[in-house]
Amino acid sequence: MNARSVLITYLVAGAAFDRDAQIALLHDDAVLRLPYAPEGVPAAFAGKASVADFLYRLQVLVTASGYTFDRDQAHLVIHETADPEVVIAEIAAPGLENLQIFRVRDGLIVEIKEYFQPTSGAFVARALAA
């Protein structure tokens, strides 16, 4: 599976809150980076287990908040790069706006850099404190 296909599969699973499907796409040494992480939130989660723990905690908080992802109102733009391992996703939906940069090798995600809107930072911090 090429980087674009992996990205799309990961995002579709995320929109459906299918964390197991997302985690299956992660390399054992995957890293999730949050370059603009709010105070109190780690700037990186290293290893599949650490990323999975973050994704599960975030899902619990999102579910408890009552937020629903409206796929009909979502806008996704995928940018392919000169590097076949790197693909970029711009995502905008009511209550959500972010940019994700994925590095995919041998069909698995080895790195995600996620840049989210500042108002989401507090939400992420609560997920990690839960």
Side-chain angles (χ1 to χ4, degrees):
M1 209 175 345
N2 67 21
R4 180 186 182 93
S5 297
V6 171
L7 168 92
I8 291 168
T9 303
Y10 181 88
L11 294 177
V12 168
F17 290 107
D18 186 349
R19 297 298 174 238
D20 292 337
Q22 284 186 299
I23 292 162
L25 294 168
L26 297 174
H27 187 278
D28 287 342
D29 297 324
V31 177
L32 170 64
R33 299 186 193 285
L34 305 172
Y36 296 112
E39 186 175 328
V41 175
F45 298 87
K48 186 175 188 172
S50 181
V51 175
D53 181 61
F54 171 76
L55 291 174
Y56 281 120
R57 287 202 268 168
L58 187 60
Q59 178 177 339
V60 167
L61 185 64
V62 170
T63 301
S65 77
Y67 176 80
T68 55
F69 182 78
D70 187 345
R71 291 173 70 167
D72 294 332
Q73 292 186 17
H75 182 69
L76 170 66
V77 177
I78 297 174
H79 303 276
E80 296 189 46
T81 70
D83 183 340
E85 291 187 345
V86 177
V87 64
I88 301 167
E90 286 184 80
I91 304 164
L96 171 72
E97 190 169 337
N98 71 354
L99 177 92
Q100 296 176 318
I101 303 170
F102 288 75
R103 179 170 296 279
V104 176
R105 190 170 298 130
D106 298 326
L108 294 173
I109 299 166
V110 294
E111 182 180 41
I112 303 169
K113 290 182 188 172
E114 183 155 353
Y115 300 85
F116 45 80
Q117 66 197 44
T119 56
S120 299
F123 198 79
V124 171
R126 286 196 308 273
L128 294 171

